[in-house]
Amino acid sequence: MLNVLGHSDSEESKAADTLKSAIELAWPWIKDSEASSITLIPNVQCYGQQTRDIDLVVLADIAYQDLPFAVFRPGAKSLFSAGVPPTATKIAVRSLCLVIEVKDHPPGGVRFDGGRVSVFYAKDKRWHDASQQSERQKYALKGYIERHRASAPRITNLVWLRNIERAALPSNINNLLPAQVTWTSLLNTVVENHRPRNDNGSYAIDHEPSPTHGWSLRDCERILAKRLEPTALDRRRLEAVCKGTLDQGLLAAVGHRLVLLSGRGGTGKTIILLRLAYKNSLDGGRAIVLTYNQALRSDVERLLVLTGIRDDIAAGTVVVSTVQSFTLKLLKLLGIVETSLPEDFLEDYDKILGEALEYLRGGAVTRNDISALIQSRPEDFDWELVLLDEAQDWPDQERDFVRAIYEPGRLVVADGREQLVRQSQNCDWKHGLRKDQYEVIQCVKSYRLKRNLAVFANSMAAALGLPHWTVDENDDLPGGQVIVVEGDYFAIPHLHADLVAGCSKLGNKPIDMLACIPPRGDYREQARFDAVLAHFKQLEQPLWDGTDALVRRAPPTDASELRLVQYESCRGLEGWTTINLGFDDFYDHKSAIARKLGPPPTDGIADMEGWARRFAATWAMIPLTRAIDTIVIEVSPRDSPVMAALRKIHSGSGADFMSWHVG
C-alpha cells in the first residue's frame, strides 16, 4: 500500500506526489501489497516542539514476504560510506522514517559548505542554514512521537533541492537530494547517512530503534496525520486575533518605546499581544511570545497554529516559548552557561542571572557584540517584537536581563497587576526607564467574562476583602451563569453531561472547557486527585491532563478532551465553561502558604491573618476570571470565607444568575 495523507495544494504536497510517482516506478508491487506500507505525510505539525513545521515525512514498514521485492542497487559511494563490501549487489528495505526538508530556491540562492547547504531569503537578505534546520526537524519529530507515548523509530533527515541538478551537488557524502530524484537514488542517500543492518552478509535499511525495541507505523501515522480542528470558541478567538483592531497609541509606540498593557484578568491583554504578533507576521516580521506558564504556552501555540502562521524562516512568523527556556538559550548564546543544560540550572537560576547581569553591565559584552551574536542565530534570536505575557510576575533580574538583550522599542509587556504566581510583588517594567522610553495603555473593560460573571467577580473580590479589585462590566457581553456545588461535583446527576451538552449546542467542544484542581501535595490531596481522574474516567470524559509535566508541553489536539490543570497553572487560560474543584480548599491552601511565608517587608502589614486573607483572595480571583459563559464552583459543606462570600452573593447581587446544588 502506498498513499499520501493530508493532501493539499501546497508545494510540500506536490513534492509528496512527485516522490510517490518515483516509488511507484521503482516498486510497482507496493500499490497492491496488503502487508507492506509506505506513507507520505506532507506539512507535518509537531506541536509543542521548538521546530514545529516539517515539510515531508516518509514512513515505510515492509513485511517479511515482500523483502525479496523491496530492494535497490547500491552505488559505489553508498557502499563505501556504509562499510558494505563492493560485491553487494542489493540492499533491502525493512523500515524507513525520513524527514525531508523541501527547498525550491534557484541555483543563485543556494550555496554549499562541504556537505552543508544554506539558502538565501530575499525577505531579510540573509543566508539561512538549511542543514541545521533539517537536523532540528529530525529531533522535533522524535520528541513529538515520544511525547505521545509512542516509540520513535530512528530518523534520517534529508534536504531536497528541487531546482538544483545532481551535477551541482557536492561530491562528498551528504544528505542532499537533487531536482530529479529517483527512489533508488534517494535510498542510496539514506544509506550514506544511515548504515544498513548486516544479517550474516545480507544488508537492509532498518529504522527500528533497536533489535529488541520496535516501533509502530500505524501509531506514527495516527500521531502525525492529526490536524487541529477549530471549535466555535476557537473561531471566536481567531476572529479577535486576525480581524480585531489595535489601539493607535499602541501602534505609534511599538518600535520606539516599551509598551505596557495594564489590566486585570479577562481584559484582553493576551489577545492584544497575539493580534499585534499576527499583524507583524503579515508584514513579514518575526515575533516571539514569552510566558512563564507551560499550560498557557500550549494554549497560545494551539491558537497560533489555527491562524495558519508557520515557523518558516522564509516568512513572517510567531513563536511561543517559556521564559526560562528562552533565557537559557540566551545564556548559552552569550557563553555564560555550557551548551548542555546544567543539572542545577533551575536551582541556581537567580544566581546565574545575577552573574549574567554583572557580565553585561561590566562591559564584557557590548551592545554591538550582542547584535552580532543575534545575527549569527537569527532563527532563534532575531525578533522584531518580543511580547511578554504575565510580565507582572517576572523577577527583576529576568526583566533586566531581557532588557539588556533587546532595546525597549521591541518589547510589549502585558501586566496583569496582582495576578502573581512566582513572587509576592509586582515587577515594575518602568523601573530605570525615562518617561519617553515607555507607553502605558490601560485595559479595563472585560472582553472575556460575560456581564453576569464580571458582576460576580467584582462581588467576590469585595466579599473576600479586596475592595480595590474591579473589572469593568461589558454590556456588549450579556448573560453568564454561576453554579455552586456544595459537596461533590460528581455527585450531582447529569451535571457534567449537561455542561458538555450546553457547550456542544453552541458549536463548542470539551476542549473549550477548563477544570481546575488544587495542587497535589500530601496524601490527602493526591487521593483527591486520583479520585477526580477516576470520576472523569467513569463519565467517559477524555482529559488533556495539564497536571502532567510531559502532557502540558504540547497543546491538546483532540477536541473531545477536557483540559485539566492545577489552579497554579490556570492563569492566562480561558474556557467557555470552567469547573473549579475544591475551590475553598485551594483558598485555604494559599492562606496557609501566606502564614508560613509572612508578608513582604515592604508591605508594612502587621496583621498576619489580614495578610493571609488578602493573599488567598488575590489568588482566588485568578481562576474566578477564567470563564466566558459558565463558572462552576465546588465547595465543601462547611463554614469558610469562600462559603460565606458565595452565600452573601447568592442572596444578593447574584440571585438572578446563580444556582445552588447540594451533592
Side-chain angles (χ1 to χ4, degrees), residues 46 235 563:
C46 294
R235 286 188 284 272
R563 292 171 294 153

Side-chain angles (χ1 to χ4, degrees), residues 176-189:
L176 307 177
L177 302 175
Q180 303 300 321
V181 67
T182 66
W183 185 231
T184 296
S185 66
L186 182 147
L187 292 173
N188 269 283
T189 304

Side-chain angles (χ1 to χ4, degrees), residues 376-414:
S376 71
R377 297 271 300 280
E379 295 89 350
D380 293 323
F381 301 109
D382 191 10
W383 308 104
E384 282 88 354
L385 293 177
V386 180
L387 309 171
L388 315 177
D389 205 12
E390 306 294 354
Q392 76 280 358
D393 216 5
W394 284 44
D396 290 349
Q397 290 192 138
E398 271 183 353
R399 173 200 65 197
D400 294 344
F401 181 64
V402 169
R403 289 199 328 200
I405 305 299
Y406 297 101
E407 56 270 20
R410 295 197 189 197
L411 305 180
V412 182
V413 174

Side-chain angles (χ1 to χ4, degrees), residues 251-318:
L251 291 175
V254 168
H256 305 286
R257 299 183 292 280
L258 181 147
V259 176
L260 184 63
L261 304 171
S262 180
R264 301 202 183 278
T267 53
K269 300 180 300 299
T270 301
I271 288 295
I272 293 172
L273 290 182
L274 297 181
R275 191 178 294 163
L276 185 61
Y278 179 77
K279 180 181 183 301
N280 184 66
S281 73
L282 295 182
D283 296 333
R286 293 165 47 79
I288 186 168
V289 181
L290 299 178
T291 178
Y292 166 71
N293 187 344
Q294 269 287 9
L296 179 58
R297 188 202 64 78
S298 294
D299 189 66
V300 171
E301 183 179 10
R302 172 185 167 81
L303 187 60
L304 290 176
V305 170
L306 290 172
T307 65
I309 298 173
R310 302 190 65 185
D311 64 351
D312 191 341
I313 59 176
T317 191
V318 184

Side-chain angles (χ1 to χ4, degrees), residues 464-522:
L464 291 175
L466 299 175
H468 301 297
W469 192 107
T470 58
V471 62
D472 282 8
E473 298 155 13
N474 191 344
D475 291 334
D476 294 331
L477 297 174
Q481 64 172 330
V482 178
I483 300 172
V484 178
V485 175
E486 182 182 346
D488 184 359
Y489 169 82
F490 298 99
I492 307 298
H494 311 299
L495 176 57
H496 185 74
D498 290 344
L499 292 172
V500 173
C503 283
S504 299
K505 285 181 181 178
L506 299 170
N508 296 318
K509 302 291 183 182
I511 199 173
D512 298 315
M513 301 173 67
L514 179 69
C516 300
I517 190 169
R520 285 186 276 181
D522 61 29

Side-chain angles (χ1 to χ4, degrees), residues 520 522-533:
R520 285 186 276 181
D522 61 29
Y523 71 93
R524 184 179 65 86
E525 291 165 340
Q526 181 62 48
R528 184 225 297 275
F529 179 80
D530 292 340
V532 167
L533 293 184

Side-chain angles (χ1 to χ4, degrees), residues 33-331:
S33 175
E34 296 182 0
S36 299
S37 179
I38 299 179
T39 304
L40 293 84
I41 313 176
N43 301 307
V44 170
Q45 298 275 302
C46 294
Y47 311 116
Q49 301 298 305
Q50 288 189 359
T51 298
R52 190 180 70 229
D53 296 327
I54 297 178
D55 289 346
L56 179 59
V57 173
V58 180
L59 302 171
D61 186 17
I62 306 300
Y64 178 79
Q65 59 265 39
D66 288 332
L67 281 177
F69 312 106
V71 296
F72 66 97
R73 182 179 294 277
K77 187 170 73 168
S78 301
L79 293 173
F80 173 77
S81 65
V84 178
T87 54
T89 58
K90 63 182 180 181
I91 295 178
V93 178
R94 291 180 181 172
S95 63
L96 286 172
C97 182
L98 310 178
V99 170
I100 303 178
E101 172 69 8
V102 179
K103 296 297 183 188
D104 291 325
H105 293 68
V110 178
R111 70 183 184 190
F112 303 101
D113 180 12
R116 303 188 68 80
V117 59
S118 297
V119 293
F120 185 78
Y121 287 103
K123 175 186 72 71
D124 54 5
K125 296 181 174 58
R126 275 201 298 238
W127 292 89
H128 292 274
D129 191 336
S131 295
Q132 181 187 65
Q133 185 181 9
S134 173
E135 190 74 12
R136 288 180 172 183
Q137 290 175 351
K138 176 173 70 174
Y139 291 106
L141 181 64
K142 181 177 186 295
Y144 186 63
I145 293 172
E146 290 176 344
R147 190 153 291 168
H148 283 77
R149 291 181 166 81
S151 295
R154 295 182 180 180
I155 302 168
T156 299
N157 57 299
L158 306 172
V159 181
W160 188 357
L161 303 170
R162 295 204 300 166
N163 281 308
I164 306 299
E165 298 299 325
R166 178 175 296 278
L169 295 181
S171 59
N172 60 346
I173 294 169
N174 54 63
N175 69 336
L176 307 177
L177 302 175
Q180 303 300 321
V181 67
T182 66
W183 185 231
T184 296
S185 66
L186 182 147
L187 292 173
N188 269 283
T189 304
V190 171
V191 168
E192 292 176 22
N193 292 272
H194 181 89
R195 185 179 291 267
R197 189 164 290 171
N198 181 0
D199 289 335
N200 298 320
S202 296
Y203 295 90
I205 298 176
D206 192 348
H207 280 70
E208 289 280 355
S210 70
T212 58
H213 188 64
W215 68 291
S216 167
L217 178 138
R218 298 302 174 205
D219 282 346
C220 290
E221 283 182 350
R222 173 183 53 81
I223 294 167
L224 301 183
K226 188 173 291 185
R227 296 289 187 267
L228 294 183
E229 296 295 333
T231 65
L233 181 55
D234 286 329
R235 286 188 284 272
R236 168 182 162 172
R237 297 172 71 198
L238 288 171
E239 181 87 7
V241 169
C242 301
K243 296 184 179 180
T245 58
L246 288 164
D247 181 90
Q248 291 302 310
L250 182 152
L251 291 175
V254 168
H256 305 286
R257 299 183 292 280
L258 181 147
V259 176
L260 184 63
L261 304 171
S262 180
R264 301 202 183 278
T267 53
K269 300 180 300 299
T270 301
I271 288 295
I272 293 172
L273 290 182
L274 297 181
R275 191 178 294 163
L276 185 61
Y278 179 77
K279 180 181 183 301
N280 184 66
S281 73
L282 295 182
D283 296 333
R286 293 165 47 79
I288 186 168
V289 181
L290 299 178
T291 178
Y292 166 71
N293 187 344
Q294 269 287 9
L296 179 58
R297 188 202 64 78
S298 294
D299 189 66
V300 171
E301 183 179 10
R302 172 185 167 81
L303 187 60
L304 290 176
V305 170
L306 290 172
T307 65
I309 298 173
R310 302 190 65 185
D311 64 351
D312 191 341
I313 59 176
T317 191
V318 184
V319 171
V320 57
S321 174
T322 59
V323 176
Q324 290 174 330
S325 174
F326 186 66
T327 300
L328 175 62
K329 289 169 68 174
L330 284 171
L331 290 168

Side-chain angles (χ1 to χ4, degrees), residues 350-457:
D350 292 339
K351 177 183 175 183
I352 294 172
L353 274 181
E355 293 173 353
L357 284 170
E358 289 181 13
Y359 183 69
L360 293 170
R361 289 166 178 164
V365 178
T366 66
R367 173 66 68 179
N368 288 338
D369 294 332
I370 292 172
S371 296
L373 287 170
I374 289 174
Q375 293 306 312
S376 71
R377 297 271 300 280
E379 295 89 350
D380 293 323
F381 301 109
D382 191 10
W383 308 104
E384 282 88 354
L385 293 177
V386 180
L387 309 171
L388 315 177
D389 205 12
E390 306 294 354
Q392 76 280 358
D393 216 5
W394 284 44
D396 290 349
Q397 290 192 138
E398 271 183 353
R399 173 200 65 197
D400 294 344
F401 181 64
V402 169
R403 289 199 328 200
I405 305 299
Y406 297 101
E407 56 270 20
R410 295 197 189 197
L411 305 180
V412 182
V413 174
D415 181 350
R417 298 182 184 171
E418 295 177 349
Q419 295 187 87
L420 300 174
V421 174
R422 305 169 71 190
Q423 56 190 11
S424 58
Q425 290 181 293
N426 280 35
C427 177
D428 181 7
W429 281 85
K430 302 187 298 296
H431 177 77
L433 297 179
R434 302 186 311 271
K435 287 188 177 181
D436 62 345
Q437 289 182 300
Y438 65 84
E439 183 84 19
V440 179
I441 295 178
Q442 298 292 342
C443 304
V444 294
K445 184 177 286 189
S446 174
Y447 287 99
R448 175 188 301 139
L449 302 131
K450 288 189 175 181
R451 187 182 183 281
N452 290 340
L453 299 191
V455 170
F456 172 74

